[in-house]
Amino acid sequence: MEVLKLTSENFDETINSGTVLVDFYADWCGPCKMQSPIVDEVASLSSDYKVGKVNVDDEDEIAMKFRISSIPTLLVFKNGEVVKKFVGVTSKENILDALK
C-alpha cells in the first residue's frame, strides 16, 4: 500500500478507522532517513493497515497534539486510539508486531 502524506486536513480522517502506522519525521533528521525505508517496506507488505508520514516541520500542530518531542517517532493507532509508540529507529519486526 502507498504511504500517505498526512496533514491537518486528512490526519483525523485517516487514523479514525482501522490500524494505522504514523511516522513523525523531519527532512533534516538523520535517524529519520534511516527509518524511512523501513516504514516504506512495512507499507508495501500488507493492505490490512494504512501507513502515513507527518513532517513535524510542516505539521507542528499534529506533533504537539501527540507530544512528539523526539524524532523519528512512530505511533500505531487502532480506530483512532494510540496503542503503541516507538521513539528512535525501530526495526521492521517490532513495527509489524505492533500492527497485528
Side-chain angles (χ1 to χ4, degrees):
M1 184 162 216
E2 169 185 340
V3 176
L4 306 167
K5 179 180 179 181
L6 299 178
T7 65
S8 55
E9 286 81 37
N10 67 355
F11 187 85
D12 290 337
E13 177 184 334
T14 302
I15 65 161
N16 276 340
S17 64
T19 302
V20 185
L21 172 67
V22 178
D23 176 13
F24 289 85
Y25 76 98
D27 291 332
W28 50 263
C29 166
C32 299
K33 292 176 184 176
M34 294 169 55
Q35 184 71 69
S36 186
I38 297 168
V39 171
D40 294 347
E41 183 179 353
V42 167
S44 72
L45 294 176
S46 178
S47 59
D48 293 343
Y49 48 80
K50 295 179 267 187
V51 177
K53 295 185 180 186
V54 174
N55 184 323
V56 297
D57 289 333
D58 296 338
E59 301 295 335
D60 58 331
E61 286 182 19
I62 299 172
M64 288 176 16
K65 178 179 179 181
F66 292 99
R67 297 186 174 109
I68 305 301
S69 57
S70 297
I71 51 175
T73 292
L74 303 177
L75 297 181
V76 177
F77 292 87
K78 292 201 177 179
N79 298 319
E81 298 294 321
V82 176
V83 296
K84 190 74 176 170
K85 179 177 184 176
F86 298 102
V87 179
V89 177
T90 304
S91 72
K92 177 177 77 172
E93 293 75 20
N94 286 345
I95 296 168
L96 290 172
D97 282 347
L99 292 170
K100 291 180 182 174

